[in-house]
Amino acid sequence: MNSVSPSAVQYIVAGGAHEDKPSAQSRRHNGHGSVPDGIREGSGEPDEVDRLKAKFMSAWNNVKYDEVDRFRQAFVSCVWLTYRREFPQLEGSSLTTDCGWGCMLRSGQMLLAQGLLQHLMPLDWRWADCHPLTDVDFEVLKPRSPSRPAGMSLPSFSSSWTSPISQRDPSSGSSEGHRRTPARCPAASHEPQVEALHRKLVSWFGDHPSAPFGVHQLVELGKESGKRAGDWYGPSVVAHMLRKAVARTAEFHNLAVYVAQDCTVYKGDVMRLCELPESSETGWKSVIILVPVRLGGESLNPSYIECVKNILKLKCCIGIIGGKPKHSLFFIGFQDEQLLYLDPHYCQPVVDVTQGNFSLESFHCNSPRKMNISRMDPSCTIGFYAQTKKDFESLCSAVSEALSSSKEKYPIFTFVEGRGQNYGLEGQSGGSMDGPANIFSCNRMSRNNKRGSTDEFVLL
């Protein structure tokens, strides 16, 4: 599938609701195909059935538009963290960029950022300045019936990534209320306090030594496992680095990070980590659970594909860090057999997040990418978030059900009662992704470069 030009994307995004009798030109742009049977030029007034057909089609396309726009809002609101250049020199090295070696660190940052968005931001928060999607092939579905559309499915996110919209009956027709100009997210919060918190959250991942989750701090934590700036980091090592980074940040006294041991989540360990004294206000710390797993030998075991998709659907899932071999990505959803991801392989100039009104634009991506799930490296780390003890119990139940969908005899990982051995950061292996770094040219990975592979564009 090929990408469309930004102007074509703008047309589709801004088109909004369609009239009952769209023009031939708009039908070509929006992929509606031919006019319903019975409505032809020169055929006179359509009968009542044809009018109902046209009305139904118009309403159905509005429902489809809402889904596309909801996807846009959720995707663009994600925090996007990429290679940066010209930041302060990393201690113990002469490096002032992580281009070519830091992609797993950036993927880990994005996973943590998504957990913090859930932890701190309002449930239905969307970035107020989110932009229209670009480099996307928008193919509007042509419904054969309300329950069986003929065409590509919409991307599936975890329900935590999308805010619910009111369900409308497709046969109820279009209304003036459905017309919109989505240059800004309609569900976005413009409250100054909320946007200030969003900006503060992004600043925690800034590229300077004092940022608690910045590359400088993560590289320092990596030294405890024998890693240095410029080395390749695996998803398991990064999971433990994130755990230590959160534990050392005073602002997050009410949040813990738990890393599973040997593909096992020990409920007793999570309870011990999260339970607070009875005198505390909540009695429970919110928790981000990171599960390093291996989904096959040299390549992904196809038996796990359905299980991975079911995990990404869960409300408690905050994403997966992994990627292709020696090429880390942050997976956030899927569309049919394609994984949707945020790509850290864009070398952008450093942004001084210590300035009060620093630009947020380079921290949000409006160009979704995808890859076939069969190309996924088997070594990865899956992330979950639970705000309360009840949420944790629901998480255990929901994830266990998703894990049972695997065709393999043994699940990807398990939940067990009791406590396990307390492993530290040392000795943890990231599997096949811990090998030598695959070095990329900064120029080749510049943000404005066009990609050669057409399979990376998302079809909506």
Side-chain angles (χ1 to χ4, degrees), residues 303-375:
S303 300
Y304 291 129
I305 289 178
E306 203 60 34
C307 184
V308 170
K309 290 161 68 173
N310 286 335
I311 288 173
L312 284 169
K313 289 180 182 178
L314 297 176
K315 178 181 180 180
C316 57
C317 180
I318 56 175
I320 300 175
I321 57 174
K324 296 178 281 190
K326 304 296 186 296
H327 186 89
S328 177
L329 303 168
F330 177 43
F331 298 115
I332 58 177
F334 69 93
Q335 180 185 31
D336 297 321
E337 300 306 311
Q338 308 288 327
L339 289 172
L340 307 181
Y341 64 84
L342 286 166
D343 189 352
H345 297 91
Y346 294 84
C347 198
Q348 304 187 84
V350 70
V351 173
D352 185 1
V353 298
T354 62
Q355 300 298 315
N357 198 31
F358 66 90
S359 173
L360 288 165
E361 185 174 353
S362 66
F363 294 98
H364 292 276
C365 178
N366 62 348
S367 183
R369 292 289 182 264
K370 65 181 181 62
M371 60 170 258
N372 194 286
I373 193 170
S374 63
R375 297 169 60 196

Side-chain angles (χ1 to χ4, degrees), residues 295-457:
L295 308 177
E298 293 300 313
S299 60
L300 178 70
N301 185 337
S303 300
Y304 291 129
I305 289 178
E306 203 60 34
C307 184
V308 170
K309 290 161 68 173
N310 286 335
I311 288 173
L312 284 169
K313 289 180 182 178
L314 297 176
K315 178 181 180 180
C316 57
C317 180
I318 56 175
I320 300 175
I321 57 174
K324 296 178 281 190
K326 304 296 186 296
H327 186 89
S328 177
L329 303 168
F330 177 43
F331 298 115
I332 58 177
F334 69 93
Q335 180 185 31
D336 297 321
E337 300 306 311
Q338 308 288 327
L339 289 172
L340 307 181
Y341 64 84
L342 286 166
D343 189 352
H345 297 91
Y346 294 84
C347 198
Q348 304 187 84
V350 70
V351 173
D352 185 1
V353 298
T354 62
Q355 300 298 315
N357 198 31
F358 66 90
S359 173
L360 288 165
E361 185 174 353
S362 66
F363 294 98
H364 292 276
C365 178
N366 62 348
S367 183
R369 292 289 182 264
K370 65 181 181 62
M371 60 170 258
N372 194 286
I373 193 170
S374 63
R375 297 169 60 196
M376 178 183 180
D377 191 285
S379 181
C380 60
T381 291
I382 308 172
F384 304 95
Y385 172 77
Q387 185 173 28
T388 65
K389 185 176 182 179
K390 183 177 180 181
D391 289 339
F392 172 65
E393 293 168 351
S394 299
L395 181 155
C396 295
S397 176
V399 175
S400 295
E401 184 177 348
L403 293 172
S404 67
S405 63
S406 170
K407 296 178 181 178
E408 283 291 304
K409 180 178 179 181
Y410 300 103
I412 294 175
F413 65 93
T414 59
F415 291 87
V416 300
E417 303 293 338
R419 294 166 56 180
Q421 183 179 353
N422 183 27
Y423 289 109
L425 183 62
E426 296 74 20
Q428 295 296 324
S429 171
S432 69
M433 300 194 75
D434 278 22
N438 185 15
I439 303 300
F440 299 96
S441 162
C442 293
N443 291 332
R444 184 174 147 213
M445 287 300 170
S446 66
R447 187 178 179 189
N448 295 324
N449 275 1
K450 295 296 182 181
R451 301 269 182 112
S453 174
T454 58
D455 72 338
E456 293 187 344
F457 296 106

Side-chain angles (χ1 to χ4, degrees), residues 6 23 121 174 182 187 203 309:
S23 67
M121 305 300 285
S174 176
S203 73
K309 290 161 68 173

Side-chain angles (χ1 to χ4, degrees), residues 16 25 122 216 218 256:
Q25 183 181 10
H216 294 74
L218 294 182

Side-chain angles (χ1 to χ4, degrees), residues 15-18 55-70 73 145-147 154 163-180 186:
H18 304 287
K55 194 173 184 181
F56 172 84
M57 288 292 289
S58 176
W60 182 251
N61 288 328
N62 278 324
V63 172
K64 167 69 171 155
Y65 170 86
D66 279 339
E67 291 297 308
V68 171
D69 195 48
R70 189 155 62 109
Q73 295 174 35
S145 71
S147 60
L154 278 165
S163 55
I165 58 172
S166 58
Q167 298 297 315
R168 294 193 302 274
D169 181 356
S171 63
S172 64
S174 176
S175 69
E176 289 298 315
H178 296 161
R179 299 179 182 274
R180 57 184 71 76

